[in-house]
Amino acid sequence: LAKTTQPISMDSYEGQEVNITCSHNNIATNDYITWYQQFPSQGPRFIIQGYKTKVTNEVASLFIPADRKSSTLSLPRVSLSDTAVYYCLALLDNYGQNFVFGPGTRLSVLP
Amino acid sequence: DAGVIQSPRHEVTEMGQEVTLRCKPISGHDYLFWYRQTMMRGLELLIYFNNNVPIDDSGMPEDRFSAKMPNASFSTLKIQPSEPRDSAVYFCASSSYGQSAGHEQYFGPGTRLTVT
């Protein structure tokens, strides 16, 4: 199971782009990088997933360099409602392992 | 779809009592997960089912915890007897392998359990 490391907290201002980097030095060949978002008093919500290079959806972009030892979640023009905890996971393409959510990154968006 | 439904949303009980948490997954999903979240330990996977069969229960903390999934639309997590250290928010989630290789889990609103 690949261990992930990400900053405990980050602050940003409305309208700015936020980049949260996750390290996963021992990522396995078949691991996918997956990001979840959790608001207070709610369950986590899937944001984006990728294997290599770049993935973009209506919410975020995920950048994965060639060595796949890290990844960066990019949130464009954040708003106050993006204040949440963001979790990075490295997961196999099957259910042969636990979903392990680390402490995540607590993002605070300020006005 | 109404999403994953959990009940009750809040439960307060006394130490030693039996507690049963309930979950209705999203229709058509073939995986169901039970998680526990505390400030100290974060979000922990307790057990997951595939097609109603328990696949991995290595996260269940001890024998006081048990989970069942009698059919595709219902699952329970039972704690008997409950202890104060079981106080946490318990989440149920479901997914379908066809969606993002199963990594896109849909979480319910959670049950906040307080054991006094």
Side-chain angles (χ1 to χ4, degrees), chain A residues 9-111:
Chain A
S9 64
M10 293 181 68
D11 291 339
S12 181
Y13 291 94
E14 281 190 292
Q16 289 187 332
E17 178 184 77
V18 171
N19 295 309
I20 305 175
T21 297
C22 177
S23 296
H24 25 80
N25 290 322
N26 62 336
I27 191 169
T29 302
N30 295 329
D31 283 346
Y32 281 71
I33 295 102
T34 307
W35 285 80
Y36 277 78
Q37 171 193 58
Q38 186 176 24
F39 297 114
S41 302
Q42 295 186 24
R45 182 176 73 107
F46 175 91
I47 301 177
I48 197 167
Q49 172 187 290
Y51 184 79
K52 61 181 179 181
T53 63
K54 176 184 174 182
V55 179
T56 297
N57 61 23
E58 65 278 5
V59 177
S61 294
L62 178 60
F63 299 92
I64 306 168
D67 65 6
R68 302 197 337 117
K69 293 185 181 299
S70 67
S71 59
T72 299
L73 175 72
S74 181
L75 306 173
R77 298 182 297 281
V78 295
S79 63
L80 296 177
S81 62
D82 292 316
T83 294
V85 178
Y86 292 82
Y87 298 96
C88 167
L89 298 87
L91 301 167
L92 287 171
D93 183 20
N94 59 48
Y95 280 110
Q97 64 179 67
N98 286 341
F99 274 58
V100 178
F101 286 77
T105 297
R106 186 173 298 276
L107 173 66
S108 297
V109 180
L110 308 172

Side-chain angles (χ1 to χ4, degrees), chain B residues 30-48:
Chain B
D30 50 359
Y31 285 88
L32 184 139
F33 305 80
W34 282 100
Y35 290 87
R36 176 172 70 175
Q37 187 169 38
T38 62
M39 289 294 292
M40 290 297 295
R41 300 177 66 88
L43 193 62
E44 305 173 278
L45 176 65
L46 300 177
I47 184 171
Y48 76 88

